[in-house]
Amino acid sequence: MQPIKIAVVGVGKIARDQHLPSIAGNPGYALVAAASRHGSVEGIRNFTTIEDMLEAVPEIEAVSLCMPPRVRFEAAHAALSAGKHVFLEKPPGATLSEVAILEALAERKGVTLFTSWHSRFAPMVDRARAHLADKTIRRVEIFWHEDVRRWHPNQSWIWEAGGLGVFDPGINALSILTEIVPGHIMVEKSVLEFPENKKQPIAASIAMRTVEGAPISAEFDWRQEGPQTWDITVQTNAGALRLSKGGSELYIGGEEKASGPDREYAGIYERFAKLIRSRQSDTDYQPLRIVADSFLCGERKVVAHFED
Ligand code: NAP
């Protein structure tokens, strides 16, 4: 089978940390070009815009869009219009409308659109989903507390409108939640904390529920220094399940413990290749819907000035 000729757009932190190594490590892909205003990748053709790249390298079959969400729509639209398969980093858009428009365009063009959620590929998420599939969910608690200064240095876009603020990491928790808890989830209320000098929230407290009525709470906070917390605890009719460290450790009934090595992006690229080869799309954007609903229902609280 010929490798899929792929290009990367937006050569920044996540492209360098994860996308480029994962593509290089998967024989199902051949990286042929990159487009980035400042960044570049050695050994392939580089362009400053996606439009120039698509025109100059028609053999490109797929593109991975690794830039911040606010500027991803135009690039995705251009790539799908040119008949390319598209991998969207999370979150798949800055708005729900963008994603719906891209979904319809991909279908019209007969190409693959993949709204990726890397945290769903954390090593213990599949096992958690399988364990919960036949249980009755009684309650879910999520704590996603991290240090924005450590994980997002110099990323001013994250604090701008469309950057999502603390929901940029929080949506990872929501992507796991919607993967492991069967059925639909609704937002009931939320409190969003905005530093007086920022346009996006630094913390959020969300009350959700399953359609059956089991309460789900999520606490997202970007002010946690020291040890970081990425935990989801699910109480069921058969005891508790806890996913820790963003889905890399699993505890069932407080006893059984399993963990696995990190291969989130390797897993994502395997999935993207499978989707392309089977001519399917995966456009689940339920996590973004929960974020949008949290803003719609959100009570705004102004908190102390924050320098990042
Ligand atoms: P980043 O390094 O700040 O941005 C990636 C690249 O996008 C930049 O290097 C820049 O390349 C381009 N870009 C930035 N702002 C732009 C703008 N206004 N217009 C056009 N291009 C722009 O961000 P990142 O951390 O890689 O995150 C990108 C996406 O990946 C986000 O959606 C994020 O949620 C997701 N993600 C990040 C991480 C992480 O650990 N950082 C993990 C998983 C997913 P040029 O200047 O060269 O064009």
Side-chain angles (χ1 to χ4, degrees):
M1 208 182 304
Q2 288 295 311
I4 298 160
K5 295 190 183 70
I6 193 164
V8 168
V9 184
V11 180
K13 185 171 188 322
I14 198 61
R16 289 186 200 289
D17 289 358
Q18 299 288 352
H19 290 258
L20 296 175
S22 301
I23 293 169
N26 186 329
Y29 292 98
L31 184 67
V32 294
S36 213
R37 298 165 311 170
H38 308 95
S40 61
V41 181
E42 248 181 63
I44 55 169
R45 297 181 70 186
N46 286 277
F47 300 85
T48 50
T49 70
I50 184 170
E51 290 80 9
D52 289 349
M53 180 182 79
L54 292 174
E55 199 179 318
V57 194
E59 64 269 30
I60 292 169
E61 294 168 274
V63 295
S64 283
L65 302 181
C66 307
M67 65 281 253
R70 197 62 200 264
V71 293
R72 221 181 285 129
F73 175 77
E74 295 301 338
H77 199 275
L80 292 171
S81 299
K84 313 299 179 191
H85 307 293
V86 169
F87 175 135
L88 297 172
E89 246 304 343
K90 51 75 36 173
T95 67
L96 296 176
S97 308
E98 287 179 10
V99 192
I101 291 166
L102 296 177
E103 189 179 21
L105 179 58
E107 201 175 322
R108 263 202 321 278
K109 300 295 284 187
V111 292
T112 295
L113 178 65
F114 182 28
T115 56
S116 74
W117 301 105
H118 65 87
S119 293
R120 287 183 176 172
F121 293 82
M124 291 299 124
V125 170
D126 255 357
R127 270 186 67 176
R129 183 175 46 74
H131 178 82
L132 293 174
D134 61 352
K135 307 289 183 300
T136 304
I137 308 296
R138 297 255 160 88
R139 167 181 297 276
V140 184
E141 284 178 317
I142 300 173
F143 291 95
W144 226 250
H145 291 188
E146 62 173 55
D147 183 351
V148 63
R149 294 185 179 108
R150 182 160 147 199
W151 301 105
H152 299 282
N154 309 315
Q155 291 191 328
S156 55
W157 61 264
I158 219 159
W159 292 107
E160 297 298 327
L164 295 195
V166 75
F167 286 97
D168 178 83
I171 203 168
N172 297 333
L174 299 174
S175 73
I176 297 177
L177 173 75
T178 48
E179 180 74 2
I180 65 174
V181 169
H184 291 289
I185 288 168
M186 309 155 59
V187 176
E188 293 195 303
K189 64 180 195 183
S190 68
V191 177
L192 312 177
E193 296 185 26
F194 289 75
E196 59 185 13
N197 58 327
K198 299 288 189 195
K199 294 179 189 145
Q200 292 293 303
I202 194 164
S205 176
I206 313 162
M208 297 167 272
R209 50 169 270 219
T210 63
V211 175
E212 293 73 28
I216 302 172
S217 65
E219 301 291 333
F220 302 153
D221 202 318
W222 248 349
R223 295 165 296 199
Q224 179 153 310
E225 294 173 0
Q228 307 284 284
T229 310
W230 298 288
D231 283 355
I232 300 178
T233 305
V234 185
Q235 306 290 346
T236 75
N237 58 322
L241 172 150
R242 181 158 61 91
L243 272 173
S244 267
K245 301 200 173 140
S248 57
E249 290 182 3
L250 176 68
Y251 301 81
I252 294 174
E255 286 168 19
E256 184 186 337
K257 180 180 164 183
S259 64
D262 170 21
R263 55 182 316 279
E264 289 183 13
Y265 277 79
I268 293 188
Y269 271 97
E270 285 162 15
R271 171 106 176 108
F272 187 40
K274 264 190 205 145
L275 289 169
I276 292 172
R277 302 225 188 270
S278 60
R279 308 199 73 76
Q280 287 180 315
S281 284
D282 177 351
T283 55
D284 176 24
Y285 53 95
Q286 209 189 337
L288 186 62
R289 236 168 56 195
I290 294 176
V291 171
D293 286 353
S294 301
F295 276 94
L296 282 170
C297 297
E299 180 187 321
R300 180 190 167 93
K301 246 171 87 176
V302 177
V303 296
H305 187 96
F306 186 83
E307 284 309 326
D308 54 329

